[in-house]
Amino acid sequence: MERVFEFAVNHYILVSLFVAFLLAILVLESRRGGAKISAQGAVNLINRDEAVVVDIRDRKEFNEGRITGAINIPLNSIKSRASELKKFKDKQIIVADKMGQHSAMAVKQLKAEGYNNVVRLNGGIADWKGSNLPLVKK
């Protein structure tokens, strides 16, 4: 451990550049996909009828369990089907996927289509299940 501090002192410019790059990457990655919302925050918005959930998983996964009232628009067709959300333009749109990894891309595409109130569900449906929140099947 002493050698790490010795290295940092002897090569302070190199260490400070590394820290600066690390912080820049963290900031860029956090802003890349837009704002996140927790499962409990999503429940609050949905219950007050201020939000609509867009599930970007494929049809098979969607039918295995979905958030009540969610609209299924798979990620690969989000650009072509974005017009289906025109009636919800004044509401908050919550994008949900399986584990929260692909929703950033959908948020970016929806914002490019002119939807400004778009957030992504942090952790996706997996976090929703982990919070013991209900899913409906059909």
Side-chain angles (χ1 to χ4, degrees):
M1 193 63 157
E2 291 177 23
R3 300 192 91 189
V4 171
F5 293 122
E6 182 182 343
F7 179 84
V9 170
N10 290 335
H11 304 284
Y12 65 91
I13 294 174
L14 183 64
V15 172
S16 24
L17 283 173
F18 174 75
V19 170
F21 284 132
L22 187 64
L23 289 174
I25 288 172
L26 290 174
V27 168
L28 286 173
E29 283 297 313
S30 67
R31 291 185 180 176
R32 180 179 71 127
K36 297 178 188 173
I37 191 168
S38 67
Q40 194 58 49
V43 167
N44 291 338
L45 285 175
I46 294 166
N47 286 343
R48 290 192 314 230
D49 199 31
E50 296 176 6
V52 62
V53 178
V54 176
D55 195 323
I56 60 169
R57 298 176 298 157
D58 62 25
R59 174 65 67 188
K60 181 183 174 204
E61 289 176 331
F62 181 75
N63 287 335
E64 289 173 1
R66 65 181 181 277
I67 298 172
T68 304
I71 300 168
N72 181 235
I73 302 177
L75 180 60
N76 57 6
S77 62
I78 195 105
K79 206 167 199 169
S80 61
R81 293 180 56 190
S83 61
E84 295 177 25
L85 300 173
K86 290 278 188 218
K87 58 186 169 188
F88 304 114
K89 204 160 190 164
D90 59 333
K91 291 188 177 188
Q92 183 80 49
I93 296 174
I94 302 171
V95 178
D97 65 349
K98 188 174 185 176
M99 300 195 60
Q101 298 172 330
H102 303 290
S103 57
M105 193 180 323
V107 169
K108 188 176 178 182
Q109 289 178 357
L110 287 172
K111 285 189 175 188
E113 294 289 326
Y115 297 92
N116 296 322
N117 288 336
V118 184
V119 294
R120 55 189 172 132
L121 182 62
N122 192 25
I125 298 295
D127 189 53
W128 184 273
K129 285 181 189 176
S131 298
N132 291 322
L133 295 168
L135 293 174
V136 294
K137 297 180 182 180
K138 189 171 184 180

